Amino acid sequence: MSTYLLLVDDDRTFASLAASVLRHEGFRVTLAHSLHDARGAMSREAPDLVVLDRRLPDGDGIDFLPELRAQLPDTPVLMVTAHGDIASAVEAIQAGARDYLSKPVELDDLVLRARRAVADLQLQERLRLAESELGGRRRLSRPHSPKMLAALQMLERIAKAPRSPVLLLGETGVGKEVIARHLHALQGGQGSFVHVNCAALPATMVESELFGHERGAFTDARTARRGLVEVAAGGVLFLDEVGELPLQLQAKLLTFLDKGAFRRLGGTAELSSSARVVTATNRDLTKEVAEGRFREDLYFRLSVFRVDIPPLRERREDLLPLAQSLVAELGAELGRRPVSFSSAARARLERYPFPGNVRELRNVLERALVLEAGPELELAALEPQGTSGPPDVDPDAFVVSGAPRPLQDVERLYVRHVLARLDGRRMEAARVLGLSYPTFLRRLEEE
């Protein structure tokens, strides 16, 4: 996405020439010839970079700097000062300007300093990306199961179409965020990976968080703010629990997916972002569509590429390698020396169904690393409770023991079981079983 630059200078000839050169260099430029014009431009759209002259018809640019910095704290400002006025340059830097240019401004110098400011912005984005990666912590271990291998092979093909949306489906805890990060890595790791939990955002804030807002868009909007769609430009915007999005915002997301364009809340300018949207849910979206809680057109747009992530119980061959990888990762984080699994722990891992999937496995291993001090993990927490005696059996349960039997024999046994439960009341037993009375008698008498 091109950098939006606001150039504030009352010298119309210079401003027009500078704007032409900057546009040729890829900047999106708006001109303002006074502080009044600058305030109006900023109210319509927040710039990424400001070039500000000192001497303007309605005030001094340095006096305007505190107001600009309060409204746009992250936007770098290049101050234009009179030739040789070192005191003004120092004053501008102290007031919050990033850099300064001396008049007469050399256009090559202007372009160079603007590029440096953009490079700083990109560095900040990379730092945010690094923080996001550290926050995620989790890596994708190479799977062995055919289902998971098929899903990863599909991701490798999808990565070649960087704008197409992807829908990840699977139970809670299967690792949909890890898969989304893996797709980001397959794309070359360009741009930011931005994770949004739609279920955790208040309905009143979702639009502002995703698409940003302009100053004054709502009561507390004292400054303009970029949305996460803009932050993720060139990278991946991961919308977890997408089924929780309010209906009115689903329409705006659909427009963005179709055109790559959007408007900030309270803004009029149409902006663009090249972020790939990856969504995830454990809901049945077809059911949500049928019940009117999710837009059908958005569902079709999101599922251009649909990837089903199998639960851990359906890829048991991945369990032990995944557990070993997680133990190594968690051990490093906790400062624990390398440990292995005892034979009992391996057996417990194989038996346990892991209804919480990979997330539950990770939690079990983290707890074991903290609580079990030995050289081998036992994972005693996975042992079923209350296994010392035989399980309680309902005395009234219908049980067919022994070798498998023909269905006809089982039906006859069940008819007699129901009759016994009803103390021999044949008419009532026939009604409970849903059989006519003659049919009931035939089943009862069959040998």
Side-chain angles (χ1 to χ4, degrees), residues 89-245:
V90 172
E91 186 181 358
I93 298 297
Q94 290 175 340
R98 180 196 180 277
D99 205 346
Y100 69 92
L101 301 108
S102 297
K103 285 189 172 182
V105 177
E106 296 289 338
L107 293 178
D108 288 345
D109 191 32
L110 172 61
V111 170
L112 176 63
R113 292 173 191 264
R115 282 177 173 170
R116 285 178 180 170
V118 171
D120 282 351
L121 286 174
Q122 293 171 342
L123 176 60
Q124 291 173 9
E125 293 294 343
R126 287 197 294 272
L127 288 173
R128 278 193 282 267
L129 171 62
E131 290 173 356
S132 175
E133 293 290 348
L134 288 173
R137 297 187 303 172
R138 288 160 284 182
R139 303 188 309 270
L140 181 68
S141 299
R142 190 67 185 173
H144 300 277
S145 69
K147 287 185 178 181
M148 201 62 184
L149 284 171
L152 293 190
Q153 289 168 0
M154 185 175 182
L155 283 179
E156 290 171 0
R157 294 192 292 270
I158 291 171
K160 299 173 183 178
R163 268 287 296 154
S164 299
V166 179
L167 176 62
L168 304 178
L169 298 177
E171 296 177 4
T172 298
V174 293
K176 294 186 284 290
E177 181 187 349
V178 177
I179 296 296
R181 288 182 182 276
H182 182 65
L183 177 60
H184 179 239
L186 288 174
Q187 294 177 188
Q190 300 298 315
S192 298
F193 178 91
V194 178
H195 179 195
V196 184
N197 187 340
C198 299
L201 290 176
T204 55
M205 293 178 57
V206 178
E207 182 173 2
S208 172
E209 287 292 321
L210 289 183
F211 297 104
H213 62 256
E214 299 295 347
R215 182 185 182 189
F218 48 88
T219 303
D220 293 328
R222 297 184 178 88
T223 63
R225 181 179 178 183
R226 300 169 72 204
L228 297 177
V229 165
E230 290 180 77
V231 175
V236 168
L237 177 65
F238 177 50
L239 300 180
D240 203 359
E241 302 298 345
V242 70
E244 303 292 338
L245 278 182

Side-chain angles (χ1 to χ4, degrees), residues 4 6-9 30-47 50-53 56 58 61 64 67-68 71-72 215:
Y4 173 39
L6 175 61
L7 176 58
V8 188
D9 198 304
T30 292
L31 294 178
H33 302 300
S34 66
L35 294 179
H36 175 77
D37 292 346
R39 290 186 179 97
M42 289 163 56
S43 69
R44 290 188 295 274
E45 182 181 357
V50 176
V51 177
L52 177 63
D53 193 9
L56 295 161
D58 52 352
F64 178 60
E67 177 185 337
L68 193 155
Q71 184 175 343
L72 302 169
R215 182 185 182 189

Side-chain angles (χ1 to χ4, degrees), residues 221-362:
R222 297 184 178 88
T223 63
R225 181 179 178 183
R226 300 169 72 204
L228 297 177
V229 165
E230 290 180 77
V231 175
V236 168
L237 177 65
F238 177 50
L239 300 180
D240 203 359
E241 302 298 345
V242 70
E244 303 292 338
L245 278 182
L247 274 171
Q248 64 271 21
L249 192 61
Q250 292 177 23
K252 190 165 184 176
L253 178 60
L254 178 63
T255 299
F256 173 67
L257 290 171
D258 285 339
K259 301 179 181 178
F262 64 96
R263 287 186 176 87
R264 290 176 179 164
L265 184 62
T268 57
E270 187 171 77
L271 308 176
S272 64
S273 171
S274 56
R276 183 207 282 273
V277 175
V278 178
T279 54
T281 183
N282 56 12
R283 287 193 177 194
D284 183 348
L285 287 186
T286 56
K287 181 179 178 182
E288 296 294 303
V289 169
E291 296 179 359
R293 291 190 294 268
F294 202 83
R295 293 178 62 107
E296 185 177 37
D297 48 3
L298 178 59
Y299 169 67
F300 289 136
R301 190 71 182 92
L302 290 176
S303 55
V304 170
F305 292 113
R306 167 179 165 162
V307 181
D308 291 280
I309 312 302
L312 197 52
R313 63 181 175 275
E314 293 182 9
R315 45 188 180 109
R316 304 297 295 188
E317 55 268 66
D318 291 336
L319 184 55
L320 186 57
L322 179 59
Q324 291 169 332
S325 175
L326 288 172
V327 160
E329 180 183 328
L330 289 165
E333 291 177 9
L334 297 170
R336 178 86 185 263
R337 288 187 176 183
V339 293
S340 58
F341 295 110
S342 69
S343 56
R346 290 170 181 258
R348 287 168 180 147
L349 283 171
E350 290 296 331
R351 287 196 304 265
Y352 191 74
F354 287 102
N357 292 295
V358 181
R359 183 182 294 124
E360 184 182 9
L361 173 62
R362 183 184 179 89

Side-chain angles (χ1 to χ4, degrees), residues 53-92:
D53 193 9
R54 268 209 68 172
R55 308 197 182 283
L56 295 161
D58 52 352
D60 189 329
I62 284 187
D63 294 336
F64 178 60
L65 259 180
E67 177 185 337
L68 193 155
R69 298 295 298 156
Q71 184 175 343
L72 302 169
D74 298 326
T75 299
V77 179
L78 307 182
M79 179 64 71
V80 178
T81 66
H83 175 68
D85 190 354
I86 300 299
S88 289
V90 172
E91 186 181 358

